């Protein structure tokens, strides 16, 4: 069986597209936006709130302790969303090989002892700006795109730190880290697929 | 032409062996210990001192400024060794494709605008301990190997910080980062070779 592939990514690095292509090429399910839909069903919260809260947090003052979650009398909507999302991720991975993008999936699946290939996709700000402008051609170009990218990444990192008590982007947490800017998306897809097939056991 | 390949590595991660195999497979020169010999000729210092000072530093209180080096009246032996080593690295890379291990080569060649594939090799402490004990079977096993590995890495990181004013091991600085513990040495060699050939231009 090939491993579950988690993709952590910088905003605008093409991690979503790369993950989608990998899943297509290996004929396995792909989870990114789909996690939002399933978390909505699981938690009862609406999709818009999950999209906003499912990867970002404004609470940076404490760490969330998963192991103590069941003993808490009160959970914030954000924590409830995280726990529902965590369940969706674990259910998906337990069904068999798939590609899961972001949402602390690397940490959640490692904790659960699930066989994974953890990948980080990054690129320099120039490449990410270009990709964002190409993907969202209607974006208001008066806004400083680089600043928006940085803000998005900062919120995702805070979310990761809050729910895992680990720093996002440390090389130790990934089997493979790829610069999609210098290597190109197709090469990234090729390396990940080849590796996943090699890890077939 | 394939790029110059720089290998940054954690101590005990197999980066030296992986680099050596890559060079052999691509039929290009390999520079690790050889840099010590050539730096000795270049600087006039003995090999033993270069081995000790060529990748580690005890000066953590200031950054070395390469651009100001030629205007300095006095340089420490360590700085002289760094500058001689830098020249050896640049001369090697200017001759054509090769593999260079450590010694800030990623930073030195980037600054010089040389076409490179920058690779980071890492592994968890368990894998690194095993590899060190296998490579140095005569090592005194009463010594805490993990602590020795950490100390060696700490000194290399300080050296890198001192001469580049960058933090060692940040994913942004590498095109490719590989966990040799989970992926295995042979897979790392294969990925690097394949990528270098793809980058042939």
């Amino acid at each position: 069986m090939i491993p579950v592939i988690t993709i952590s990514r910088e905003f605008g690095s093409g991690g979503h597209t790369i993950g989608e292509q990998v899943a297509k090429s290996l004929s396995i399910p792909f989870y990114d936006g789909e996690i939002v839909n399933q978390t909505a069903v699981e938690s009862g919260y609406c999709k818009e709130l999950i999209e906003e809260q499912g990867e970002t947090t404004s609470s940076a003052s404490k760490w969330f302790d998963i192991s103590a979650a069941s003993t808490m009398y009160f959970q914030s909507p954000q924590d409830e969303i995280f726990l529902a999302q965590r369940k969706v991720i674990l259910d998906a991975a337990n069904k068999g090989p798939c590609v899961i993008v972001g949402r602390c999936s690397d940490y959640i699946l490692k904790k659960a002892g699930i066989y994974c290939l953890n990948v980080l996709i990054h690129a320099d700000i120039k490449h990410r700006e270009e990709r964002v402008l190409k993907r969202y051609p209607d974006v208001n170009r008066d806004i400083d795109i680089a600043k928006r990218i940085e803000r998005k990444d900062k919120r995702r990192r805070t979310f990761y730190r809050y729910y895992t008590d680990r720093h996002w982007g440390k090389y130790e947490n990934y089997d493979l880290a790829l610069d999609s800017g210098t290597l190109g998306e197709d090469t990234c897809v090729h390396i990940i697929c080849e590796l996943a097939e090699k890890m077939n056991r």
Side-chain angles (χ1 to χ4, degrees), chain A:
Chain A
M1 205 164 75
I2 65 168
V4 171
I5 300 164
T6 72
I7 308 266
S8 306
R9 77 295 185 213
E10 287 186 328
F11 186 70
S13 69
H16 171 92
T17 315
I18 290 167
E20 203 170 26
Q21 289 303 314
V22 166
K24 204 173 155 189
S25 172
L26 296 172
S27 303
I28 57 178
F30 173 66
Y31 297 95
D32 191 348
E34 183 53 25
I35 295 176
V36 174
N37 298 337
Q38 295 190 21
T39 303
V41 175
E42 189 67 42
S43 67
Y45 285 104
C46 70
K47 286 202 270 182
E48 290 68 23
L49 187 68
I50 293 166
E51 260 166 11
E52 201 191 292
Q53 299 286 323
E55 270 201 292
T56 57
T57 180
S58 47
S59 319
S61 58
K62 64 177 182 79
W63 316 134
F64 182 76
D65 186 351
I66 293 175
S67 58
S70 62
T71 66
M72 289 177 189
Y73 285 111
F74 302 105
Q75 281 167 356
S76 72
Q78 198 175 48
D79 294 344
E80 285 181 350
I81 289 171
F82 174 77
L83 289 172
Q85 191 165 267
R86 179 173 162 267
K87 188 174 176 306
V88 169
I89 289 168
L90 285 168
D91 286 352
N94 278 320
K95 274 187 209 144
C98 57
V99 176
I100 305 178
V101 177
R103 300 172 177 83
C104 309
S105 51
D106 57 330
Y107 174 83
I108 289 167
L109 300 181
K110 192 180 181 165
K111 276 271 190 192
I114 289 171
Y115 184 47
C116 282
L117 169 62
N118 295 314
V119 182
L120 169 69
I121 305 289
H122 59 94
D124 68 13
I125 193 68
K126 200 182 127 275
H127 281 102
R128 292 194 284 146
E129 271 186 45
E130 276 169 19
R131 202 176 266 111
V132 168
L133 289 171
K134 210 170 138 191
R135 190 159 178 193
Y136 308 102
D138 297 334
V139 76
N140 179 353
R141 291 181 183 234
D142 293 338
I143 296 170
D144 187 330
I145 307 291
K147 266 199 186 147
R148 280 189 64 179
I149 291 174
E150 270 169 37
R151 204 158 45 228
K152 188 97 180 174
D153 272 343
K154 196 177 169 187
R155 291 186 71 192
R156 280 185 186 165
R157 278 163 206 236
T158 310
F159 176 83
Y160 189 88
R161 179 95 175 99
Y162 180 73
Y163 285 108
T164 70
D165 198 11
R166 295 203 309 197
H167 286 286
W168 188 91
K170 293 204 96 177
Y171 66 82
E172 298 94 317
N173 299 334
Y174 309 99
D175 302 298
L176 178 68
L178 298 166
D179 185 330
S180 62
T182 57
L183 305 181
E185 284 183 16
D186 291 346
T187 300
C188 293
V189 172
H190 174 78
I191 293 175
I192 299 166
C193 288
E194 203 183 35
L195 202 44
E197 274 163 356
K198 232 185 233 282
M199 289 169 77
N200 199 340
R201 62 180 192 191

